[in-house]
């Protein structure tokens, strides 16, 4: 038995990362491909939007994103592994990966998607939820979706979608947890069928 290598996480594990840290890291890694691609696009956009001698582009109210930030984040995110589990089994410094992903991924998300703000509609919201919410058990998920996505889902819906393969649990022990954005996708799918 070892303890998890993530700084300040001392949970016991047989791997280099504990289950919670694997789930957290996977949640961060989920977005890295999209972010790397979008950062490349953002850099082009910035190059176009930037007037000679003028300030940067960006949404009003957000701090102007620097082209250099986008380039650095792109380079850093490219160094991250694809999935957490391989790190947890093979990398004695897996905790450092999570530590850096916790810093880089939110920075990239803010640069690409802008700061978290009001919910506009369900489709936009689903994308947003994907960025901000970790997997959670049903009991936590339902009120969370009610508050943050303004939709009412029951635990029966969740069970039904899981049974029909529309939804996959991230973790099954000690209780099933689900990605909120995947629950929203299942909700969209089933609504379309009615
Ligand atoms: Zn841990």
């Amino acid at each position: 038995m070892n303890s998890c290598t993530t700084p300040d996480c001392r949970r016991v594990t047989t791997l280099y990362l504990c289950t919670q840290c694997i789930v957290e890291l996977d949640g961060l890694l989920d977005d890295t491909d999209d972010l790397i691609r979008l950062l490349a696009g953002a850099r082009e956009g910035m190059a176009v939007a930037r007037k000679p001698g003028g300030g940067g582009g960006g949404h009003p109210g957000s701090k102007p994103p620097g082209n250099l930030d986008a380039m650095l984040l792109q380079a850093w995110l490219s160094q991250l592994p694809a999935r957490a589990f391989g790190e947890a089994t093979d990398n004695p410094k897996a905790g450092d990966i999570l530590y850096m992903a916790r810093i880089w991924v939110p920075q990239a998300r803010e640069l690409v998607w802008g700061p978290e703000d009001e919910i506009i509609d369900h489709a936009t919201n689903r994308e947003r939820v994907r960025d901000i919410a970790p997997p959670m058990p049903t009991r936590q998920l339902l009120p969370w979706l009610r508050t943050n996505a303004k939709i009412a889902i029951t635990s029966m819906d969740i069970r039904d979608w899981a049974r029909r393969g529309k939804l996959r649990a991230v973790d099954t022990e000690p209780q099933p947890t689900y990605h909120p954005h995947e629950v929203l996708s299942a909700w969209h799918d089933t609504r379309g069928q009615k």
Side-chain angles (χ1 to χ4, degrees):
M1 285 295 197
N2 306 309
S3 59
C4 178
T5 59
T6 303
D8 300 324
C9 175
R10 296 190 180 81
R11 281 186 282 256
V12 172
T13 168
T14 52
L15 307 172
Y16 293 115
L17 289 177
C18 68
T19 308
Q20 281 93 333
C21 287
I22 291 175
V23 171
E24 183 186 347
L25 181 55
D26 257 340
L28 292 166
L29 295 177
D30 265 352
D31 283 340
T32 50
D33 285 347
D34 285 346
L35 287 170
I36 289 167
R37 193 167 37 80
L38 290 166
L39 281 169
R43 285 173 58 197
E44 279 164 30
M46 280 172 220
V48 172
R50 189 156 297 167
K51 298 184 201 88
H59 305 288
S62 69
K63 65 176 189 295
N67 206 341
L68 185 64
D69 290 346
M71 195 173 73
L72 286 174
L73 282 168
Q74 214 185 328
W76 289 334
L77 292 182
S78 304
Q79 294 168 24
L80 292 174
R83 305 306 298 168
F85 192 74
E87 300 303 304
T89 51
D90 302 335
N91 185 353
K93 292 191 178 294
D96 293 349
I97 304 269
L98 175 56
Y99 182 82
M100 295 318 295
R102 278 175 180 166
I103 299 170
W104 294 340
V105 173
Q107 274 183 21
R109 284 170 177 166
E110 184 168 340
L111 195 61
V112 169
W113 285 309
E116 230 179 280
D117 51 20
E118 277 175 58
I119 287 158
I120 301 157
D121 60 61
H122 288 307
T124 312
N125 190 32
R126 184 174 40 178
E127 291 307 305
R128 200 171 290 287
V129 163
R130 187 189 158 88
D131 315 332
I132 58 176
M136 12 182 136
T138 305
R139 206 183 36 200
Q140 217 179 313
L141 191 58
L142 302 180
W144 194 92
L145 286 171
R146 210 158 42 231
T147 308
N148 294 280
K150 314 279 183 238
I151 62 167
I153 287 174
T154 66
S155 54
M156 264 167 63
D157 291 327
I158 304 269
R159 273 202 300 274
D160 181 48
W161 296 332
R163 189 173 50 76
R164 288 159 61 194
K166 289 197 166 297
L167 192 60
R168 253 199 6 246
V170 178
D171 248 351
T172 49
E173 295 295 330
Q175 51 191 334
T177 58
Y178 302 94
H179 278 298
H181 70 273
E182 289 182 3
V183 175
L184 283 177
S185 295
W187 178 75
H188 272 264
D189 285 356
T190 47
R191 219 171 42 137
Q193 281 169 7
K194 275 175 193 162

